Amino acid sequence: MLNTNFADEVRVQIVDDNSVDFLLAREGNWDRYDLPTQFAFKQRPVQAEFGISFLVEVVRGGRTSSVLFDAGFTGPVLLHNLDTLAVDIGTLDHVVISHGHPDHYGGLEALLTRFDRPLPVATHPTAFEPRYAIMPSGAVAPFYNAHFNRERLSAQGASFTLSRSPVPIAPGVYTTGEIPRQTSFEGPREGKTFAGLYQVNEGVCGLDQVIDEIALVINVRDAGLIVLTGCGHAGVVNSIAQAQAITGVKTVLAVMGGFHLGFPGTPEENVQLTVEAFREIGVQQVVPMHCTGLKAVSAIAAGLPNAFVQPSVGTTFSYQAGQAKVSSNGAASVGSIREPERAVR
């Protein structure tokens, strides 16, 4: 169990996602990069693309640790948003790549150009294996992850940690390691996939089970877990279950990221089953992003109105130790996280 380590304060900022909405309100334990900020003539607006990236800042003992979970789809958008959001890139302690798909690692190479020191990067050991996609139209994307090359990126400063097991990243922050496929309606699994995705392993091309997908879990002291998913290929419910299993903590403050419910071929009933699972688990805050899909986002908003929060690039969520309940959608506000002094590096 990893419940002996925790964070006292946490900020999770959306650096990259599919959408930006200037008109969303600041209602609960989150702050928005909103219209007055976007319209300010001194400021550049943030950008959206088909990708995902989170900046996670955790505080323990007065020291802040900074982690980037996934690196978006393209370097220009990732760096533009990090600069626009005034992120001090040089303070990054670690990068975690959820799996070897371009909309998750795409900005990593550009990010490495900003560093004159090795940058720790954690991912799964099979994330680099060649991948192909065949869409229902017959269109083929051949070896689409060719740029996610360990040797190439290592030469540019990436210092890789490759593990199938959970890895400690920062105080209270861990990768989940491989995510067991336990939930009956979530895939892909052997003989079952919802898309024409293929991967070459040991010279054999077969269905891509996305075994390399890992999630990020943050254990907030005396409060609960925050679970971040990249795409949710392994299943968002499975990801939550793995986070609970490795920490021994059952309370889930928030789950956010891609839930992979919008991909062609995904059974429609999976959406409602996911909503029901969130309700049964008691997830307090649900932020569906990236590949979740419009129908699924709408179903989550309708089925979990007090938990649903609409994402937008630049939104920052704050959590703190002893926080009994996360505020959502106009409920009583939670005190905002303080801005601690960064430790001298």
Side-chain angles (χ1 to χ4, degrees):
M1 297 295 184
L2 305 177
N3 58 356
T4 57
N5 207 348
F6 50 79
D8 289 324
E9 304 178 7
V10 180
R11 291 199 306 172
V12 178
Q13 185 172 48
I14 299 174
V15 174
D16 199 358
D17 188 34
N18 298 25
S19 64
V20 174
D21 191 333
F22 296 176
L23 305 181
L24 297 176
R26 306 173 178 186
E27 295 181 287
N29 65 313
W30 61 89
D31 195 10
R32 299 287 192 183
Y33 199 80
D34 55 10
L35 186 146
T37 308
Q38 301 273 7
F39 278 13
F41 72 90
K42 293 182 179 179
Q43 188 66 290
R44 300 180 299 176
V46 292
Q47 298 177 358
E49 67 174 355
F50 187 78
I52 196 167
S53 180
F54 295 98
L55 177 70
V56 178
E57 294 180 302
V58 298
V59 180
R60 182 168 178 180
R63 180 183 178 90
T64 298
S65 300
S66 181
V67 179
L68 193 73
F69 179 59
D70 278 348
F73 191 21
T74 66
V77 171
L78 177 70
L79 294 183
H80 171 91
N81 287 349
L82 287 168
D83 290 342
T84 300
L85 297 169
V87 175
D88 184 356
I89 297 176
T91 65
L92 275 180
D93 297 295
H94 221 301
V95 175
V96 175
I97 301 297
S98 64
H99 61 297
H101 286 169
D103 44 336
H104 301 268
Y105 69 74
L108 178 60
E109 190 168 357
L111 181 68
L112 291 170
T113 65
R114 295 285 189 93
F115 287 83
D116 56 4
R117 60 172 172 86
L119 182 62
V121 180
T123 194
H124 190 280
T126 67
F128 307 103
E129 299 297 332
R131 292 183 134 117
Y132 293 73
I134 303 176
M135 301 307 292
S137 65
V140 176
F143 198 4
Y144 60 79
N145 63 327
H147 283 88
F148 197 46
N149 180 279
R150 180 181 178 183
E151 290 73 24
R152 171 193 177 108
L153 294 169
S154 295
Q156 297 179 37
S159 182
F160 283 103
T161 296
L162 307 178
S163 177
R164 298 175 182 270
S165 302
V167 174
I169 301 297
V173 182
Y174 297 86
T175 66
T176 57
E178 284 186 13
I179 300 169
R181 315 298 170 93
Q182 299 174 329
T183 305
S184 62
F185 62 88
E186 291 188 323
R189 63 192 71 233
E190 188 67 34
K192 177 183 178 183
T193 183
F194 301 142
L197 301 178
Y198 297 86
Q199 188 174 33
V200 178
N201 281 301
E202 298 182 355
V204 178
C205 185
L207 290 177
D208 185 358
Q209 305 297 328
V210 202
I211 296 302
D212 56 313
E213 181 161 39
I214 57 178
L216 198 72
V217 55
I218 308 158
N219 185 5
V220 187
R221 179 171 58 85
D222 297 330
L225 304 178
I226 303 163
V227 181
L228 306 182
T229 62
C231 231
H233 291 279
V236 61
V237 178
N238 285 332
S239 300
I240 293 172
Q242 175 68 352
Q244 292 173 319
I246 67 174
T247 62
V249 178
K250 296 302 182 184
T251 302
V252 180
L253 290 176
V255 59
M256 58 183 77
F259 299 164
H260 209 256
L261 295 170
F263 208 91
T266 303
E268 290 189 11
E269 62 267 25
N270 286 17
V271 172
Q272 195 55 47
L273 288 170
T274 301
V275 172
E276 292 171 2
F278 286 158
R279 186 180 294 115
E280 182 177 346
I281 294 167
V283 181
Q284 296 185 32
Q285 200 162 62
V286 181
V287 188
M289 300 167 58
H290 184 43
C291 57
T292 304
L294 180 60
K295 289 184 178 179
V297 172
S298 299
I300 292 168
L304 300 168
N306 294 323
F308 169 75
V309 181
Q310 184 176 340
S312 178
V313 175
T315 302
T316 302
F317 297 84
S318 299
Y319 308 87
Q320 51 197 351
Q323 186 172 356
K325 185 173 177 58
V326 174
S327 171
S328 291
N329 297 319
S333 173
V334 174
S336 61
I337 191 169
R338 64 181 174 84
E339 292 281 359
E341 292 290 333
R342 283 193 174 271
V344 176
R345 299 180 187 275

